[in-house]
Amino acid sequence: MLPLKIGDLEVPMPVVQAGMGVQVAKADLAAAVARAGGVGCISSVGLGSIEASMTDYLADSREHLIDEIRKARALAPNGILGVNVMVALSNYDDVINVCVEEKVDVIISGAGLPISLPGLTKNSGIKLIPVVSSGRAMKVILKSWHRRYQVIPDAVVVEGPLCGGHMAFTEDEVLHPEMSPIQNILHDVKAELAPFEAEYGKKVSLIGAENITSADDVLAKLDMGFNGVHVGTKFICTEESGIDIKSKEIYVKAKNEDIVVLHSPLGLPVKVLRTPLVVKLLNNEKIPFGCPFRCLRACEATEAKFCIADALLNTLYGDTDGGLFMVGSGIGKVNNIIPAEEFFEPLKKLI
Ligand SMILES: Cc1cc2nc3c(=O)[nH]c(=O)nc-3n(C[C@H](O)[C@H](O)[C@H](O)COP(=O)(O)O)c2cc1C
């Protein structure tokens, strides 16, 4: 097993911990992964407190992100630290500015095409990693970064249809993942990258994301031609993830049959566990909410049946009836809560 190269950074363990929003992936988890030799990643969405956000969402988000970055740095001073920034955030530019000011090592940006990212991070040396799930998305990013900024990414996260989170697939593709296997997406992404890699004389590492819960899954993705992996669902069920223990227990008890596909207020399909809240939503019930701060630019708040921030905060605090449990297809293989470092133990023998 080789280290993962991200520009001039060398990551001893080719594992990037996925950013998971609304306080699943904060400093504790990111630091644990970074100390184990992977890339630890803070998700920048939903870090603030509801009360403070009501009056100044921008300042509150900024302050909490700064705190988390500094805490992670203190806990893992020699580790590699990233921040995940969803393009859909209403405060995207400001969050990227914080990452630049706080000198994080990498920014991973998806849930939309991060077209403006190189312009916001100019000369910072931060490594840029867009998230894509098709050759088409890769092409758009490459062409626009090349034309506007004369740069290409340092690495790319390639998501397959078995992933968790907001997905750039149709509902049909999510329900029938065999329609768009990750091998095909990898092939298309490589084909788009090849001419740009030749022109820039630079190798762009490819990081595979979906359904990775064990060392064997990591090796399978490396065999497939990826240089590293991006792991989300497995790390939800760690001691260091930020959500309440009652919510972690819902995750570890879940089976793949408990997964259903919902359309989030962003209009994208998300896989979630069938919980009382989800049953209401599937029955077309509307969960009343106010929207004081509009966290997501693309949120159709006036039409939405529920507020995704409220629902994820319920998960954070252990309200298992009102919570939304976003999940990847690997959840059936995750049966216990472990320290994050344990994931790396079998991999250590392979380097
Ligand atoms: C609970 C949860 C929250 C997530 N939050 C984010 C997020 O804030 N930003 C993002 O870009 N992706 C998010 N994702 C997607 C992951 O970053 C990742 O690519 C994916 O989950 C990896 O697949 P896996 O869960 O099968 O390991 C989330 C996924 C889950 C399961």
Side-chain angles (χ1 to χ4, degrees):
M1 202 176 64
L2 298 171
L4 169 64
K5 294 211 169 115
I6 305 178
D8 57 8
L9 281 180
E10 205 163 273
V11 190
M13 293 278 177
V15 176
V16 179
Q17 168 244 315
M20 289 178 285
V22 191
Q23 309 191 35
V24 179
K26 296 206 290 181
D28 287 334
L29 178 56
V33 170
R35 277 198 307 267
V39 178
C41 190
I42 295 165
S43 172
S44 56
V45 63
L47 290 175
S49 72
I50 282 277
E51 292 74 25
S53 293
M54 300 270 185
T55 48
D56 198 344
Y57 177 65
L58 205 68
D60 191 59
S61 302
R62 162 176 270 275
E63 271 166 38
H64 279 84
L65 179 56
I66 292 172
D67 287 351
E68 291 302 320
I69 293 171
R70 291 184 184 175
K71 184 174 171 194
R73 283 282 190 223
L75 291 170
N78 303 317
I80 298 176
L81 179 65
V83 174
N84 175 293
V85 193
M86 291 169 65
V87 177
L89 296 186
S90 57
N91 57 341
Y92 184 77
D93 291 10
D94 198 50
V95 170
I96 300 291
N97 289 341
V98 171
C99 295
V100 172
E101 288 159 24
E102 294 297 314
K103 299 186 172 57
V104 302
D105 300 307
V106 309
I107 295 176
I108 300 176
S109 193
L113 299 177
I115 299 300
S116 61
L117 183 57
L120 297 167
T121 54
K122 226 182 322 194
N123 305 324
S124 66
I126 297 177
K127 307 295 176 281
L128 304 183
I129 310 184
V131 181
V132 300
S133 24
S134 66
R136 204 170 357 101
M138 187 76 266
K139 183 178 187 168
V140 174
I141 293 169
L142 286 167
K143 281 193 152 181
S144 70
W145 284 20
H146 170 65
R147 184 168 43 81
R148 292 184 183 199
Y149 311 111
Q150 297 76 54
V151 295
I152 60 172
D154 296 290
V156 175
V157 171
V158 178
E159 288 191 334
L162 299 172
C163 259
H166 282 91
M167 307 182 74
F169 292 97
T170 62
E171 184 172 338
D172 236 19
E173 288 169 325
V174 177
L175 291 171
H176 305 284
E178 67 285 356
M179 284 169 70
S180 39
I182 196 167
Q183 294 92 316
N184 294 4
I185 306 171
L186 173 64
H187 172 273
D188 295 349
V189 168
K190 272 186 173 170
E192 295 299 340
L193 276 168
F196 289 91
E197 289 181 312
E199 183 169 347
Y200 283 80
K202 175 174 171 177
K203 176 85 191 78
V204 178
S205 288
L206 293 159
I207 303 169
E210 68 168 19
N211 198 19
I212 297 150
T213 63
S214 66
D216 283 346
D217 292 339
V218 175
L219 294 178
K221 285 285 181 286
L222 299 180
D223 279 350
M224 207 181 266
F226 286 106
N227 310 103
V229 296
H230 192 241
V231 182
T233 296
K234 175 71 182 175
F235 285 126
I236 304 173
C237 301
T238 54
E239 288 169 6
E240 296 88 350
S241 88
I243 57 174
D244 190 274
I245 182 76
K246 290 199 278 302
S247 295
K248 289 182 194 177
E249 281 163 0
I250 294 282
Y251 275 114
V252 293
K253 283 188 203 137
K255 305 272 168 287
N256 276 31
E257 305 84 83
D258 302 325
I259 299 178
V260 293
V261 179
L262 263 191
H263 282 266
S264 98
L266 276 182
L268 295 172
V270 276
K271 281 192 286 250
V272 296
L273 298 178
R274 186 189 293 273
T275 53
L277 170 75
V278 171
V279 171
K280 284 185 191 167
L281 294 170
L282 292 174
N283 286 334
N284 244 341
E285 269 186 56
K286 190 171 160 76
I287 316 295
F289 64 91
C291 180
F293 41 80
R294 191 143 199 142
C295 55
L296 300 172
R297 202 179 332 161
C299 178
E300 293 152 6
T302 46
E303 269 115 69
K305 285 197 282 182
F306 71 110
C307 168
I308 192 162
D310 280 352
L312 292 171
L313 282 169
N314 289 341
T315 306
L316 171 68
Y317 297 127
D319 169 359
T320 53
D321 283 356
L324 189 74
F325 293 75
M326 282 167 52
V327 74
S329 303
I331 194 62
K333 299 184 283 170
V334 181
N335 302 315
N336 52 357
I337 300 167
I338 56 164
E341 198 194 351
E342 207 174 295
F343 178 80
F344 293 89
E345 292 301 331
L347 293 172
K348 281 186 192 156
K349 299 184 188 116
L350 303 171
I351 55 172

